[in-house]
Each structure stands twice: as structure tokens, then as C-alpha cells.
Amino acid sequence: MTGTEVAPEGLRERKRRETRRRIADVGMQLFLTNGFDATTLDMIAAAADVSRRTFFSYFDSKDGVLETWETGLEDALRAAVSEQPPLPAPLAVTRQALARLATRYETDEALAIDRLMRSTDTLLARKKANYERQEQIIVDGLAERWPSPDRRHALRLVAMVGVGTLRLAIEAWSAEEHRGPLSDYLSEAFETVQSEMTP
């Protein structure tokens, strides 16, 4: 097997992955139906047809179910940044990466999860922390293209501006009841940012 080949997934690994995915999907549906606080770990285990012990083989707590969805979004952002073609400036890379990510916010499931994350102060704080992690992912991706340590502070600023622009675009899109694609709101928000930065 060469260094570029990937070993085939064994039956045991595939079953573990499928079980983890099933528990996460069932748990998220219960969160969306009952609310996060009202959904217990035992309820998730029962609905996923696994024992409490099996649940703990995959997740430390019910928070881990949320982390599965969050990790998927973060992985998509990481890929969106790294796969951008050569562009002249960090803000251009950030803008294009976030535009690619925008479609992930437009599904019915994503909209329901967004409402869930705004439903309690605890989840809202978690949502804000997610944005901070997105900023770090962008910084890391930009630093691979512009590796000079002297630029690290500037790249962090670009990432903060980018994620802040995404947040404002999502808020405007939500306020208008998701009329039209989020990418249009994001594009308009970036145009506003760039016009304010130009003398």
C-alpha cells in the first residue's frame, strides 16, 4: 500500500461510526422536539435503542451530541478555507470560504438547530463560542498561505471581521424570514465592510 492509499474501513469501525451517527441524529431530533434541557441522556439512549453504558462509549454527555453537529460545520469551514484558489488577499479568501459555507445554514435542519441554539442562555453562549472557534479555524487556514509571524495579528483581525460579517448577515437574513439565499446577504454585508474600509 502506498503512502497515498487509505486502508479500507473494517466492519467493526463502520458499525461504530454508524452507531455514533445514529445516537447523534436521534439526540439532535429530541433536542429539536423537546428542547435541550428537557431531553435527558436516558431519553436519547432509549430512542437510539442503545444502553446507557453504550451511550457513554461514544459520548461523555449529551453535550457531545451537539458537538457532533458543531464539528461537522467546523470541518466544512476548514475545507472551504484550505481549498480556495490563490487569491490576492486574506479577506478575499475569507469571503469566498464563508460564501461556500453559507449553504450549510440554509437547510431546514440548520434553521431548526439555529433556533435551538438561541433558545437558552447556555446554548446562546455556546453559539458565540462556536463563532470564536470559526475565527481560529480561519486564522489557521490563512496562516498556511501567509506564514509570516509578523502577519498573525493582521490575519486574526481579518478572521474576526469575516466571522462578524457572517453573523450580521445571518441576523439580517433571519430578520427577513430567510427571504432569498444567505449568500446574497453575506455578499451585501462584505460589500458594506469593504466600502467602509475604503477612503
Side-chain angles (χ1 to χ4, degrees):
M1 183 169 63
T2 67
T4 58
E5 292 178 347
V6 178
E9 183 180 40
L11 178 61
R12 181 182 177 86
E13 290 77 13
R14 179 169 59 81
K15 286 186 174 181
R16 282 190 59 82
R17 176 174 54 80
E18 291 172 351
T19 299
R20 179 182 175 84
R21 180 77 260 171
R22 185 175 77 253
I23 295 171
D25 288 346
V26 166
M28 185 60 73
Q29 287 303 314
L30 288 173
F31 293 156
L32 297 177
T33 301
N34 305 320
F36 183 78
D37 291 339
T39 300
T40 66
L41 184 153
D42 288 331
M43 290 168 63
I44 298 172
D49 195 26
V50 298
S51 68
R52 183 183 178 91
R53 180 176 180 178
T54 297
F55 178 94
F56 280 116
S57 295
Y58 294 91
F59 300 100
D60 292 333
S61 68
K62 67 179 185 178
D63 287 52
V65 172
L66 281 179
E67 290 172 6
T68 298
W69 177 79
E70 293 163 350
T71 298
L73 187 63
E74 291 168 7
D75 288 346
L77 175 58
R78 192 173 289 107
V81 175
S82 67
E83 294 170 7
Q84 288 303 308
L87 292 168
L91 187 60
V93 172
T94 301
R95 177 175 179 172
Q96 293 303 315
L98 291 175
R100 174 173 157 181
L101 192 71
T103 56
R104 294 184 67 95
Y105 289 91
E106 296 176 342
T107 66
D108 291 341
E109 180 185 39
L111 294 174
I113 292 172
D114 183 67
R115 289 191 294 270
L116 172 70
M117 297 301 286
R118 296 174 186 274
S119 64
T120 71
D121 290 341
T122 299
L123 291 179
L124 188 58
R126 187 186 186 105
K127 181 178 177 68
K128 292 178 179 178
N130 291 343
Y131 283 128
E132 292 180 4
R133 288 201 300 274
Q134 289 176 5
E135 289 173 6
Q136 189 58 52
I137 289 169
I138 293 173
V139 171
D140 292 342
L142 295 177
E144 291 182 2
R145 295 171 181 244
W146 292 277
S148 171
D150 293 339
R151 297 197 68 170
R152 188 76 181 190
H153 181 76
L155 296 181
R156 184 181 177 198
L157 181 60
V158 168
M160 293 172 71
V161 169
V163 174
T165 303
L166 173 65
R167 292 178 65 176
L168 290 175
I170 290 174
E171 289 178 9
W173 183 57
S174 297
E176 296 189 9
E177 298 181 345
H178 313 116
R179 188 179 307 126
L182 173 58
S183 58
D184 288 351
Y185 291 80
L186 184 62
S187 179
E188 181 179 351
F190 266 110
E191 292 298 329
T192 299
V193 168
Q194 291 182 312
S195 67
E196 290 297 327
M197 293 172 65
T198 304

